[in-house]
Amino acid sequence: MADRETRPTTVWSRPERGARGPAPERSRHEITGAALALADAEGLAAVSMRALAQRLGTGPASLYRYVGSRDELLDLMADAVAGELDLSAAPSGDWLGDLVGLALQSKAAHTRHPWLPELNDRRGEVLGPHAIDYLDHALAVLAPAPGTSRQKLEAIGLLGGLATLFARREAMAAAGEGSGAGDPPAQAAHLAAVAAEGRHPHLLAALTTAGPAERDALFERLLRRLLPAMLG
């Protein structure tokens, strides 16, 4: 199994199964779905090739016929979550409203899969086909917006950071961790991005202390303030 730094290809650049050998008994889609269910139930640390094989009722060696390593499995999992976002609606022309809608979908996906930030922290910048579709769709939404291509990519990155930030806080609240009061102090993209890194728990709490409905409203307010400032 090649290390990520020396691996010359991604899992999507190879056929799902080689042309030789017996007919496939599994599929990457099935294996990825089982890995998602395992992570949802027990956390990302529980996802190993051995545990996944046990869940599927097969031997670990058989899984390597479809997925070359655990790193590749994580790539498939991340892209499967990206595929949960509904990109079917054409851009309406209201780029800010459309982008906020995408951000709310992203936050919901992070809330459904609380292990996702940890996975993304480990993976680096591997983009699968669903993630590329999302990026292209977001850029299409931003076509009428002011700003350079670089600024638009940064704005899309901010969406992911804030989605992670708020989803993490909701997971903490659901677990009974963290409480406090006060209005969110974040009025600029820099502060929101710093908080989204997850290394400042008090700032995180200040930004997101509220009930679920209030957090959704706060999330949308932050986006509607920050995005025009980034692209103006």
Side-chain angles (χ1 to χ4, degrees):
M1 291 178 288
D3 183 83
R4 176 180 300 280
E5 294 182 357
T6 61
R7 195 174 71 212
T9 60
T10 71
V11 65
W12 299 283
S13 64
R14 301 192 311 273
E16 180 164 340
R17 281 281 284 112
R20 298 180 179 179
E25 300 174 355
R26 308 286 177 186
S27 68
R28 283 180 185 164
H29 178 76
E30 179 186 7
I31 292 168
T32 303
L36 291 176
L38 182 58
D40 287 343
E42 303 182 33
L44 188 64
V47 179
S48 67
M49 300 298 275
R50 182 175 298 278
L52 184 57
Q54 184 176 11
R55 191 178 188 93
L56 289 168
T58 188
S62 69
L63 297 185
Y64 288 109
R65 295 159 59 191
Y66 306 88
V67 182
S69 67
R70 184 175 186 267
D71 278 345
E72 288 192 347
L73 179 62
L74 297 183
D75 291 344
L76 289 168
M77 291 169 65
D79 198 59
V81 175
E84 294 177 5
L85 276 62
D86 182 4
L87 308 180
S88 61
S92 69
D94 175 9
W95 65 266
L96 184 55
D98 288 351
L99 213 57
V100 167
L102 281 178
L104 288 169
Q105 284 199 65
S106 179
K107 184 173 79 68
H110 280 77
T111 301
R112 287 193 301 273
H113 307 294
W115 44 266
L116 188 58
E118 179 187 354
L119 183 149
N120 288 332
D121 287 345
R122 295 168 59 93
R123 289 177 59 250
E125 298 298 325
V126 179
L127 292 180
H130 288 121
I132 291 171
D133 287 346
Y134 168 81
L135 182 59
D136 188 73
H137 182 81
L139 287 170
V141 164
L142 283 170
T148 65
S149 295
R150 182 181 181 87
Q151 287 174 315
K152 291 177 181 181
L153 288 171
E154 290 172 349
I156 294 168
L158 176 65
L159 296 187
L162 282 176
T164 300
L165 163 70
F166 275 74
R168 275 176 168 161
R169 184 57 183 175
E170 288 183 11
M172 291 170 63
E177 300 175 20
S179 62
D183 294 327
Q187 300 297 328
H190 175 69
L191 186 57
V194 168
E197 292 174 0
R199 295 184 291 107
H200 302 82
H202 298 291
L203 178 56
L204 176 63
L207 280 169
T208 58
T209 296
E214 292 172 310
R215 281 194 293 268
D216 281 347
L218 171 58
F219 182 64
E220 182 168 347
R221 286 201 306 274
L222 279 175
L223 289 172
R224 289 187 177 276
R225 292 173 183 171
L226 297 174
L227 291 170
M230 291 185 70
L231 298 172

